[in-house]
């Protein structure tokens, strides 16, 4: 009996060691991956904070298309500087393959000079299986990476399509820092009283999108031709918005989604709510 008992203890001890080693590897992997993401965030915040802007004045709006002027007045940015850095928090759902819609939380950090962002997200594909990921736009280059437990890559993308795609993402997300529409990399052309065309050019890449506004000046949608990495083609990409709020005295959209228009209909892949926005707070949450 003693030998059996000792053998059982040895087995249990071995299993415990395996579990502890595995947990240590997982913890180290997650720590290393998150540390790399946080390093990119700090890079964005440090470079952005080195630049300051004068307050937006009425003269800055002269020459912009009418609906863009209406939007900037509605948003309340006149009299406030273009933010050097922006940070925000999101929550919502991501469509993840056959797993369907999964809840996620995210933080995102921007600089306006140079134009850059890092989006850091967390979701869970099963109990005990968190996924940590990031989408970044640094020095005009886009890069996506998602890892289970911070270790196993489940999505990774970079290259010319990502560079243009993340440039368009940045252009779209100035909706959360409207004064960013005035940075020199972005130019505007009129379409009609409810829409205007924006073109962003940076690091040799350009992208164009059409912004739509209601009579009050609230942004209601943005449409651009963007590469759909899952479909393997450039398709119309839209980001309709359906709720609005105010952060730091600036009115912005707070709820919406993003979708590609495919042959069999619109394919929505993210639904989100903005829960917090801070301007010129160059530090991580």
């Amino acid at each position: 009996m003693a030998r059996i008992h000792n053998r059982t203890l040895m087995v249990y001890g071995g299993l415990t060691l395996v579990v502890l080693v595995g947990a240590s590897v997982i913890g180290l992997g997650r720590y290393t991956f998150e540390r790399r993401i946080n390093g990119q965030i700090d890079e964005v915040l440090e470079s952005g904070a080195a630049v300051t802007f004068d307050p937006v004045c009425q003269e800055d709006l002269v020459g912009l298309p009418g609906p863009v002027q209406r939007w900037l007045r509605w948003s309340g940015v006149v009299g406030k500087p273009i933010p050097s850095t922006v940070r925000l928090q999101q929550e919502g759902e991501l469509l993840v393959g056959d797993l369907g819609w999964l809840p996620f939380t995210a933080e995102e950090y921007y600089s306006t000079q140079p134009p850059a962002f890092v989006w850091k997200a967390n979701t869970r594909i099963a109990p005990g299986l968190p996924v940590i990921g990031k989408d970044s736009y640094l020095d005009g280059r886009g890069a996506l990476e998602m890892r289970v437990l911070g270790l196993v890559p489940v999505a990774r993308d970079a290259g010319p399509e990502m560079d243009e795609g993340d440039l368009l993402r940045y252009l779209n997300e100035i909706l959360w820092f409207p004064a960013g529409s005035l940075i020199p990399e972005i130019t505007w052309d009129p379409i009609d009283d409810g829409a205007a065309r924006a073109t962003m050019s940076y690091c040799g890449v350009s992208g164009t999108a059409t912004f739509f506004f209601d009579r009050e000046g609230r942004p209601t949608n943005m449409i651009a031709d963007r590469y759909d990495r899952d479909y393997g083609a450039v398709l119309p990409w839209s980001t309709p918005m359906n709720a609005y709020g105010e952060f730091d005295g600036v009115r912005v959209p707070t709820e919406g989604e993003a979708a590609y228009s495919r042959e069999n209909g619109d394919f929505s892949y993210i639904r989100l709510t903005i829960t917090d926005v801070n301007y010129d707070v160059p530090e991580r949450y």
Side-chain angles (χ1 to χ4, degrees):
M1 289 294 292
R3 281 198 293 270
I4 294 174
H5 180 66
N6 290 338
R7 185 176 300 169
T8 301
L9 289 177
M10 290 175 62
V11 170
Y12 282 151
L15 289 174
T16 301
L17 180 61
V18 169
V19 169
L20 289 174
V21 170
S24 298
V25 170
I26 290 170
L28 179 61
R30 177 165 185 165
Y31 170 79
T32 301
F33 186 48
E34 290 202 89
R35 183 178 179 183
R36 179 155 60 88
I37 298 173
N38 290 339
Q40 293 181 332
I41 292 169
D42 291 342
E43 177 185 336
V44 167
L45 295 175
E46 289 169 11
S47 62
V51 181
T52 58
F53 297 90
D54 293 329
V56 176
C57 60
Q58 293 290 346
E59 289 75 14
D60 293 322
L61 276 56
V62 174
L64 293 173
V68 177
Q69 294 189 37
R70 197 163 67 241
W71 165 43
L72 295 179
R73 292 191 179 100
W74 168 83
S75 69
V77 300
V78 176
K80 299 179 177 67
I82 298 173
S84 300
T85 62
V86 181
R87 68 178 190 179
L88 60 80
Q89 293 178 312
Q90 306 169 342
E91 60 184 25
E93 297 177 302
L94 289 168
L95 185 60
V96 182
D98 296 334
L99 298 174
W101 289 97
L102 301 179
F104 82 94
T105 58
E107 302 170 0
E108 193 160 10
Y109 301 84
Y110 308 84
S111 63
T112 51
Q113 286 298 310
F117 71 76
V118 176
W119 179 74
K120 179 182 177 183
N122 288 272
T123 187
R124 192 174 298 275
I125 60 174
L129 284 178
V131 176
I132 304 99
K134 64 96 178 180
D135 187 10
S136 61
Y137 181 65
L138 304 168
D139 299 320
R141 300 292 175 259
L144 173 73
E145 190 170 5
M146 307 289 285
R147 290 175 174 261
V148 176
L149 299 170
L151 283 173
V152 183
V154 291
R156 184 182 289 167
D157 203 2
E161 290 87 3
M162 278 296 299
D163 299 343
E164 183 178 7
D166 275 346
L167 178 144
L168 286 169
R169 174 173 178 168
Y170 185 95
L171 179 59
N172 170 259
E173 293 180 1
I174 61 171
L175 292 167
W176 295 321
F177 48 105
S181 62
L182 299 173
I183 64 174
E185 289 81 5
I186 299 174
T187 58
W188 292 90
D189 294 299
I191 296 178
D192 56 34
D193 192 52
R197 185 178 298 107
T199 299
M200 180 171 170
S201 300
Y202 184 58
C203 288
V205 178
S206 293
T208 298
T210 301
F211 287 73
F212 297 86
F213 308 90
D214 66 14
R215 294 185 179 221
E216 292 182 48
R218 297 180 303 183
T220 58
N221 201 354
M222 189 219 73
I223 298 177
D225 290 333
R226 187 183 189 220
Y227 185 75
D228 181 347
R229 61 187 297 271
D230 293 328
Y231 204 66
V234 175
L235 298 174
W237 174 61
S238 62
T239 60
M241 295 142 248
N242 51 45
Y244 304 87
E246 184 174 315
F247 301 94
D248 286 358
V250 177
R251 298 188 187 98
V252 298
T254 55
E255 292 183 15
E257 63 180 311
Y260 286 100
S261 294
R262 296 179 176 175
E263 291 180 355
N264 56 350
D266 286 348
F267 174 77
S268 176
Y269 62 91
I270 186 171
R271 303 166 182 155
L272 60 85
T273 298
I274 301 298
T275 59
D276 188 50
V277 184
N278 300 134
Y279 306 109
D280 291 320
V281 181
E283 57 189 42
R284 286 182 271 123
Y285 281 105

